[in-house]
Amino acid sequence: MNELSELRGLRADAPLPDADRLAAPRARLTAAFRQETRPERAALTRRRMILVGAAAGALVVTAGIVATLPEDSTHASARKGPQVLSAGASADALELAAATVEKHDGTEPGPKQWVYEKSTVFVQGKPQSSEEWTRWDGTGHANLPGIPPAGDVSDFDPDELQVWYGPNQEEKWKKEGYDDRSQRQFYRFLATLPSDSDRMMKRIREEHAIGSTKGETRAQRDWREIDVLYRSVLIPPNVQAGLFRALAKIPGTRVTTGVKDPLGRAAIGVSVTYAERTPSGWQGKQEIFFDPESYAYLGETGGDGEMVSARAAWGVVNKPGARP
């Protein structure tokens, strides 16, 4: 990445969503419900109704939408299981997600606090979990299970918390031009990005965080960039909102409600499907899962299930070994 100081002046503060800003998606959703009695609109109505099905109405309430929804129809939709939304309804759902996360707390952790993440990957269908603690200023790291040392491992206990402390590497990385970033540096880089999704993605592409692939389309590149960014444990609220709005602009993106994430939790899925292998090697359905109420990142699958991972737990704690 380029020097973070070059990006300091680019931030555009994101206003909190208000009634006018949410009027259009709210009106489209309300209209869809009212069309339920018209036979020729029944299929579209059912697909839009499940915007609240997965969370039994919580998605609408959480986003600050004031609308009266048919309770019986909502519950019936939820019972149908996974429902793929149309392009228009998917865009509406992603706008509601963006409006919700914009209101989240964006307080940065203190330098001595630790970011905790428990992740699970599935290897041949079997889950393997690990826990990681990273000190916000980059001077500490901890793992469970621990990593075996080189040489004699007779006394090694994988269930013992393995903690490392060292000097702050941020200035060294910056001075020597490394791409490495502490979580604090990366968070602050993201905080400088403009809130407008088009400008935000332009700046992200210019940073070459994941590198370009010859022959890759902009839409394919944007999906890869967003997929990687969502793996960050902490993302500023305005950037989270921008990422949802950027997803809505990628051709072929669809939202599916009433799904389960890799750990079996209720979720909504946001996906694209590549019928043929992309220049970067991606093929099949690529899906990112989010909590249906908070829109927190839960995990992802790729290549029609070839790659499966989940974020089991996360948060900010005051010492290694502590859990939220």
Side-chain angles (χ1 to χ4, degrees):
M1 291 186 178
N2 297 330
E3 298 297 334
L4 299 182
S5 59
E6 295 178 5
L7 303 174
R8 295 296 181 193
L10 293 176
R11 180 174 180 177
D13 291 334
L16 290 177
D18 54 26
D20 291 339
R21 192 170 183 182
L22 297 176
R26 180 174 65 240
R28 286 192 290 269
L29 290 175
T30 304
F33 281 103
R34 290 174 177 170
Q35 290 169 343
E36 183 180 9
T37 57
R38 296 173 57 183
E40 69 272 18
R41 294 289 187 176
L44 175 61
T45 299
R46 286 194 296 271
R47 298 178 83 179
R48 288 178 181 259
M49 279 170 57
I50 47 79
L51 280 170
V52 294
L59 179 134
V60 173
V61 174
T62 302
I65 302 299
V66 179
T68 301
L69 306 179
E71 183 176 359
D72 291 341
S73 297
T74 298
H75 292 166
S77 180
R79 290 195 296 269
K80 293 180 179 179
Q83 297 288 310
V84 181
L85 304 187
S86 67
S90 292
D92 290 345
L94 290 168
E95 176 56 35
L96 290 177
T100 300
V101 299
E102 276 182 328
K103 295 185 287 186
H104 287 175
D105 179 22
T107 303
E108 180 182 329
K112 296 182 180 181
Q113 289 187 294
W114 297 69
V115 176
Y116 168 78
E117 180 182 23
K118 181 178 182 180
S119 58
T120 301
V121 296
F122 290 77
V123 180
Q124 295 181 343
K126 296 181 179 181
Q128 296 183 3
S129 297
S130 61
E131 297 176 280
E132 184 175 15
W133 291 260
T134 304
R135 191 161 135 152
W136 191 244
D137 64 3
T139 64
H141 192 269
N143 290 87
L144 264 181
I147 301 172
D152 183 16
V153 294
S154 59
D155 295 331
F156 174 71
D157 181 0
D159 295 326
E160 181 179 345
L161 182 66
Q162 191 176 76
V163 184
W164 169 91
Y165 287 97
N168 188 318
Q169 300 292 302
E170 291 178 341
E171 288 303 317
K172 177 182 177 181
W173 291 334
K174 182 177 179 180
K175 182 178 180 181
E176 298 183 8
Y178 294 155
D179 286 337
D180 301 72
R181 292 288 185 267
S182 69
Q183 292 204 39
R184 178 169 68 176
Q185 282 179 306
F186 191 63
Y187 184 92
R188 290 178 177 177
F189 157 68
L190 293 177
T192 66
L193 295 176
S195 298
D196 175 78
S197 60
D198 291 331
R199 292 174 59 214
M200 183 185 73
M201 293 307 301
K202 181 175 183 293
R203 290 300 302 149
I204 290 172
R205 287 192 296 269
E206 290 172 351
E207 289 300 309
H208 298 288
I210 61 172
S212 58
T213 300
K214 184 178 180 181
E216 190 175 41
T217 67
R218 175 174 291 184
Q220 292 167 349
R221 169 70 179 275
D222 283 354
W223 178 270
R224 284 200 304 128
E225 293 274 13
I226 293 170
D227 175 78
V228 170
L229 285 172
Y230 271 124
R231 299 176 197 177
S232 302
V233 179
L234 300 181
I235 303 176
N238 69 301
V239 178
Q240 292 184 51
L243 292 177
F244 279 120
R245 292 183 175 117
L247 282 171
K249 295 180 180 181
I250 295 178
T253 297
R254 291 292 184 272
V255 170
T256 305
T257 62
V259 300
K260 300 290 186 181
D261 80 340
L263 296 179
R265 297 170 294 189
I268 63 169
V270 182
S271 65
V272 293
T273 301
Y274 301 123
E276 299 180 356
R277 189 171 300 276
T278 68
S280 59
W282 293 28
Q283 188 173 16
K285 186 178 182 179
Q286 316 294 320
E287 188 164 26
I288 306 173
F289 299 98
F290 300 94
D291 183 276
E293 295 185 34
S294 68
Y295 300 103
Y297 170 86
L298 297 178
E300 60 186 283
T301 61
D304 293 323
E306 294 177 8
M307 184 277 294
V308 182
S309 64
R311 178 174 293 157
W314 64 94
V316 177
V317 297
N318 292 324
K319 62 180 181 179
R323 296 176 177 86

